[in-house]
Amino acid sequence: AATGHYFIVRDDTRTVLGTCRRKFKPIQNDLLVSLASEFIDKGIARLDTIGILDGGGKVWILLKLVDHEHIVGYDIIDCYLLLMTGHDGKTSISAGILPFRLSCSNMLPIIGKHMMGFRHTASATYNFTSLIDGIISGISGIDAEIRIINKIYGVEMSVEYAVEYWK
């Protein structure tokens, strides 16, 4: 590693997952599971999928939100909560609400831009409370957004009007 950088190595396989600086504090996978359990225990969500990428460099948990199935026009939209952390020195601890089920890791770079998160530092474990509050606030906003989408769905408009409307 370069000066001032350190290797992040898995204990079990001795595989190098990435590099980091001195401020990096690993968040173990059990903390991510604890965060997911908060939502499951409160009846807000149920477990859908757990996965790892890059040999353990990224770990994610997908929860399906309970009572958040919405109908937009003729389409049913299920909402999910994605929780993710990384052990690669680049991926922050993050969470986001998705209006679709994550089905491919190729979606992560796009989704990542729309997620709340924070870096792996000494204060990271204390930030979990604010992350939970932010997620609950985001979940409560879903219903209002769906009402707006349904209003727009019922409006007939020309292509020209739509282009002008979305400028």
Side-chain angles (χ1 to χ4, degrees), residues 20-159:
C20 64
R21 292 184 173 254
R22 184 178 305 271
K23 285 185 174 183
F24 181 86
K25 299 290 181 207
I27 298 297
Q28 299 303 324
N29 297 339
D30 61 345
L31 274 173
L32 194 65
V33 172
S34 294
L35 181 60
S37 295
E38 288 270 337
F39 294 100
I40 293 168
D41 294 345
K42 291 179 180 178
I44 295 172
R46 68 173 173 74
L47 181 63
D48 186 86
T49 312
I50 297 176
I52 63 167
L53 298 168
D54 303 327
K58 294 179 182 145
V59 179
W60 55 272
I61 299 174
L62 188 65
L63 303 172
K64 185 177 186 292
L65 297 179
V66 174
D67 298 328
H68 280 281
E69 181 181 90
H70 300 281
I71 298 174
V72 176
Y74 298 103
D75 296 321
I76 296 174
I77 297 176
D78 288 322
C79 294
Y80 293 84
L81 173 59
L82 176 63
L83 306 171
M84 191 163 72
T85 189
H87 307 290
D88 57 2
K90 296 181 277 187
T91 305
S92 64
I93 304 156
S94 53
I97 300 167
L98 310 176
F100 54 85
R101 185 177 185 277
L102 178 68
S103 59
C104 179
S105 64
N106 292 339
M107 300 165 90
L108 287 175
I110 296 165
I111 293 168
K113 295 175 184 174
H114 304 284
M115 294 178 62
M116 299 178 288
F118 48 90
R119 297 189 177 274
H120 289 257
T121 60
S123 64
T125 53
Y126 301 109
N127 289 328
F128 271 83
T129 302
S130 61
L131 188 60
I132 290 170
D133 292 344
I135 292 166
I136 290 172
S137 174
I139 291 170
S140 65
I142 292 172
D143 295 329
E145 291 177 20
I146 293 296
R147 282 193 296 277
I148 292 168
I149 291 169
N150 270 318
K151 282 182 184 177
I152 294 170
Y153 179 84
V155 175
E156 289 190 35
M157 60 179 77
S158 66
V159 172

